[in-house]
Amino acid sequence: MVARRRIDIAEGSAALAAWRGGERGRAVTAMAVRYALEEVAARAPGNSVEVRVPPYGVTQCIPGPRHTRGTPPNVVECDAGTWLELVTGTLDWADAVERGLVAASGLRADLSAELPL
């Protein structure tokens, strides 16, 4: 099943480009984060990993066992700035995890193959 998009691809791409260009306002950041979450879910559809970027959004992605209740077994969580740096390639996955910028738990919670977008 293909993830349902809520954000227009052109608008989301523009927000991500604006963020990359230095705009850090709440509206731009929120749009860029939500677009990137949708994009990861579209490129790696599934329900085995939950990616959380509070307070902006959450998505499920990566093929594998579906999670339905309670705390998911595979969770990735980080702040918006870290997420967007990972998405744009200005921060490496392994470096972010090593520095404690990303909390990744579970066997499938390695997004290095999916990032940067």
Side-chain angles (χ1 to χ4, degrees), residues 14-110:
L16 193 54
W19 188 90
R20 188 181 296 145
E23 288 188 44
R24 299 296 194 265
R26 184 169 174 83
V28 168
T29 299
M31 176 74 76
V33 166
R34 291 177 183 137
Y35 167 73
L37 287 169
E38 285 184 4
E39 190 65 21
V40 165
R43 292 182 186 196
N47 297 99
S48 69
V49 178
E50 187 166 287
V51 182
R52 302 171 179 168
V53 184
Y56 299 109
V58 62
T59 196
Q60 290 185 350
C61 58
I62 311 296
R66 181 178 183 84
H67 169 75
T68 57
R69 286 189 172 170
T71 302
N74 303 288
V75 176
V76 171
E77 187 167 343
C78 62
D79 64 61
T82 299
W83 174 246
L84 293 173
E85 286 179 1
L86 288 165
V87 164
T88 60
T90 58
L91 179 62
D92 177 71
W93 175 263
D95 186 40
V97 172
E98 183 179 313
R99 291 173 41 201
L101 300 173
V102 172
S105 63
L107 296 174
R108 297 176 185 268
D110 181 348

Side-chain angles (χ1 to χ4, degrees), residues 5 9 15 35 46 88 111:
R5 291 222 183 236
I9 292 173
Y35 167 73
T88 60
L111 298 182

